[in-house]
Structures are given as C-alpha cells and as structure tokens.
Amino acid sequence: MKKVGITGGIGSGKSTVCRLFADNEVAVYDSDKEAKRLMNEDCALREAIISRFGEESYDADGLNRKYLADKVFSDDEALQALNALVHPAVKRDFERWAGEQSGDYVVLESAILFESGMNEMVDITLAVVAPLDLRVSRTCRRDKCDEESVRRRIAAQMSDDELTRRADITIVNIFETDLEPTVKELDYRFRNVHQ
Ligand code: ATP
C-alpha cells in the first residue's frame, strides 16, 4: 500500500486538504494528535518523559502540555531530547496503523514531515503552501490569537520555499473552491498511477 505524507506550515491548510482526502474514503493518520495520545497512553514513552523532564510532566488529567511546552521553549537541547523520545514512538505507531488499513493508499499528516524524518517512511510527499499574509489571517481567525505570535511561529518553521523544494508535489492553497478538484485529481493519481 502506498503512503502519502502531507505537510505544510501553520495556516497553510494541510488539515483542510487532509480532510478532503478523508472525504474520498482515504485513511488519514494525524501525527500531531497521535503523538499527544501516545504521550499519555504509551507507558514506556510516559516513563521516559518523566525520567527526563520530571514528575510534573503529568498531572491528574494526563500530560501537562503547558509544563512541557515551557521546558522546551527556547531550550533547543530539551526540545531535541523530547523529539528523540516522541518521534520513534510515533513512527512505530504509524507503521502499525498503516499495516491495519485497507485501500490503495493512506495519508500521513505531519507539520514536521521532513524535520522528523517521517518523509522517509512515505512514498510520496506533498506540501501545502499559501501566501504568508493569508496564512497569518487564517490562523488569527481560527485561533483568535495575535498576528505577531503567529508570525513568530511561522518564522520558526521550515519555509514554504524549502517545503516546495523538498516535496514531490506542492498544492498552492489560495481559493477553497480549487481544493476539492485538486484533491480529487490527486486521489485518482495516487490510486491509479504506480510510481
Ligand atoms: P495548523 O498547522 O496551524 O494546524 P493547517 O495547515 O492544518 O494549520 P488548516 O487548519 O487546514 O491549516 O487551515 C487554517 C484555517 O484556514 C482553517 O480555519 C481553515 O478552515 C482555513 N482555510 C484553509 N484553507 C482555506 C482556503 N483555501 N480558503 C479559506 N480558508 C481556508
């Protein structure tokens, strides 16, 4: 079974694109969501996080995201350490999940497809990009946050130029009405073209 990795920066519309693939009966693995689940449910991962970052990493409700985010914010070494624990667990879980799916192909959604090395686990990589100001306004509208913080988060991510250079296919997401036919065409191609 083919695996398609979909990535893009904040507000590019990768989740919207993935939702359209799901509407075409394609199974989608949301690596961000699954990483959070694994940090709560995978006992070995949980133990490793506690031993590196302390008992405060979890509270009565499970993962203490605020505490961990503060720990890794502006501490690159801590962020690398957390990634080195979480990424292998997500990779294992994705392989397991993909093995359970049926159909011609599956989709892996990841904001950090290339940074995490998960690009190496898929057959085709697809980047969703959009003009910067559009990404900022979409994100502000969605998250009700300020423009400055969105621009800062975007600046810390891989640029659209770099994503376009690395990915096999790029979708430029400007008009919502264009997305559906684009995804339909790609769906046809992924099902029928053997590469
Ligand atoms: P993040 O990494 O922040 O989760 P994302 O890349 O997954 O972002 P989406 O959540 O898919 O982005 O899109 C961001 C917002 O922009 C959403 O509210 C979505 O509905 C809207 N959006 C996406 N594409 C378009 C478009 N072509 N036209 C108008 N709105 C759009």
Side-chain angles (χ1 to χ4, degrees):
M1 183 196 290
K2 244 181 295 183
K3 301 185 185 95
V4 178
I6 299 185
T7 191
I10 296 163
S12 60
K14 65 188 163 303
S15 302
T16 305
V17 168
C18 287
R19 212 169 305 125
L20 290 172
F21 276 101
D23 290 346
N24 284 284
E25 311 298 325
V26 180
V28 177
Y29 185 94
D30 178 342
S31 46
D32 194 38
K33 187 180 104 197
E34 299 303 333
K36 282 172 198 146
R37 179 183 61 78
L38 289 166
M39 287 164 92
N40 275 312
E41 291 177 6
D42 181 321
C43 295
L45 178 58
R46 199 178 158 122
E47 286 304 314
I49 290 172
I50 289 172
S51 94
R52 173 63 176 77
F53 295 97
E55 293 285 347
E56 306 96 307
S57 306
Y58 292 85
D59 55 27
D61 299 326
L63 185 71
N64 185 344
R65 290 179 59 200
K66 168 91 178 66
Y67 169 83
L68 264 188
D70 286 347
K71 281 266 171 201
V72 302
F73 180 73
S74 72
D75 181 348
D76 207 45
E77 208 180 304
L79 179 62
Q80 303 280 344
L82 182 62
N83 287 344
L85 298 175
V86 178
H87 292 174
V90 175
K91 287 177 181 172
R92 271 195 309 275
D93 190 63
F94 171 64
E95 281 297 1
R96 176 202 57 76
W97 173 89
E100 291 170 356
Q101 305 308 310
S102 53
D104 296 311
Y105 70 100
V106 293
V107 162
L108 164 69
E109 176 184 355
S110 172
I112 48 167
L113 184 71
F114 294 106
E115 297 90 329
S116 65
M118 284 190 94
N119 61 308
E120 284 166 19
M121 303 177 74
V122 297
D123 305 287
I124 304 163
T125 54
L126 192 160
V128 182
V129 301
L132 190 63
D133 288 347
L134 207 47
R135 291 172 58 194
V136 172
S137 62
R138 282 174 189 162
T139 308
C140 289
R141 200 176 318 129
R142 187 194 57 187
D143 299 345
K144 312 264 179 295
C145 57
D146 66 295
E147 189 177 323
E148 249 332 284
S149 73
V150 177
R151 288 194 189 274
R152 256 200 317 276
R153 279 156 63 205
I154 289 178
Q157 292 188 318
M158 193 175 280
S159 70
D160 276 4
D161 279 356
E162 180 77 7
L163 287 173
T164 303
R165 204 174 56 74
R166 291 211 195 186
D168 299 313
I169 301 166
T170 298
I171 294 182
V172 182
N173 172 25
I174 297 177
F175 302 108
E176 206 148 17
T177 46
D178 289 348
L179 280 185
E180 209 176 303
T182 302
V183 169
K184 276 237 175 293
E185 196 181 317
L186 287 170
D187 176 65
Y188 179 84
R189 187 165 141 195
F190 296 153
R191 286 181 200 278
N192 297 291
V193 179
H194 300 287
Q195 49 186 18

